[in-house]
Amino acid sequence: MTHDNKNIMVILSSPSGVGKTTLTKKIQEKYHSFKVSVSHTTRSPRSNEIDGVDYYFISTKEFNNLIKKDSFYEYAKIFENYYGTSKKEVDKLKISNDLIFDIDWQGTKQIIKFKNLKFIKIFLIIDKEELHKRLIKRNQNTKTDIDKRFNSFDEDSKHWKDYDYVLINKNLEICFKQIENIIKSQKNFIFDFHKS
Ligand code: 5GP
């Protein structure tokens, strides 16, 4: 959250495949005040992804140039690709929107150091066997990719302690409701804060 206005910033992190992207889209569809911080990545687009909507897909050279220019609030190497949150994009959006960040634990550790930004940090988790099923069903990654994502589950899961809330995404609708409750209580808190 930011106390200089009434907008809030939500970080959603999880091991890959737990459902962050679906939940992020659901929040945005229901609450039009929310915008997603679109990250830059060196990963290739999946067949259903659109440049500028899902990610800004850029080359490693372009990514390195952005690092040199200090253009990112945070960036991380995940599964051999780079992902980063652009300062320009966030600074523009945060003026008049609530923001959601779909970033990993490495990025969360970096971005929370910026004292001009204040966040509600939510970590999503599911059962490991369920994750394996979902990664296969999602059918968006190669077998090697699925194995890499599955194998990083244990390491990624360790970082739940860095977050304000840990939710189990066993049932999408229940998990969504829980996120809504967190958002609403935070919005009310900020409203009260400004009234007092
Ligand atoms: P995917 O390749 O499945 O779209 O994303 C892989 C991982 O990268 C996900 O855990 C996602 O949250 C994370 N990610 C996406 N954008 C960013 C970003 O800008 N920074 C960081 N640190 N992680 C990101």
Side-chain angles (χ1 to χ4, degrees), residues 174-191:
I174 294 175
C175 190
F176 180 59
K177 197 93 218 132
Q178 289 169 329
I179 295 176
E180 279 189 293
N181 288 341
I182 294 169
I183 289 170
K184 281 180 193 161
S185 68
Q186 203 64 36
K187 277 280 194 189
N188 286 341
F189 169 73
I190 290 175
F191 190 67

Side-chain angles (χ1 to χ4, degrees), residues 41-47 49 55 57-58 81-83 140-141 145 149:
T41 185
T42 60
R43 162 166 87 57
S44 309
R46 296 179 184 133
S47 58
E49 287 178 327
Y55 283 106
F57 295 98
I58 60 173
N81 288 302
Y82 286 92
Y83 297 80
Q140 287 172 345
N141 304 92
D145 237 19
R149 282 160 194 264

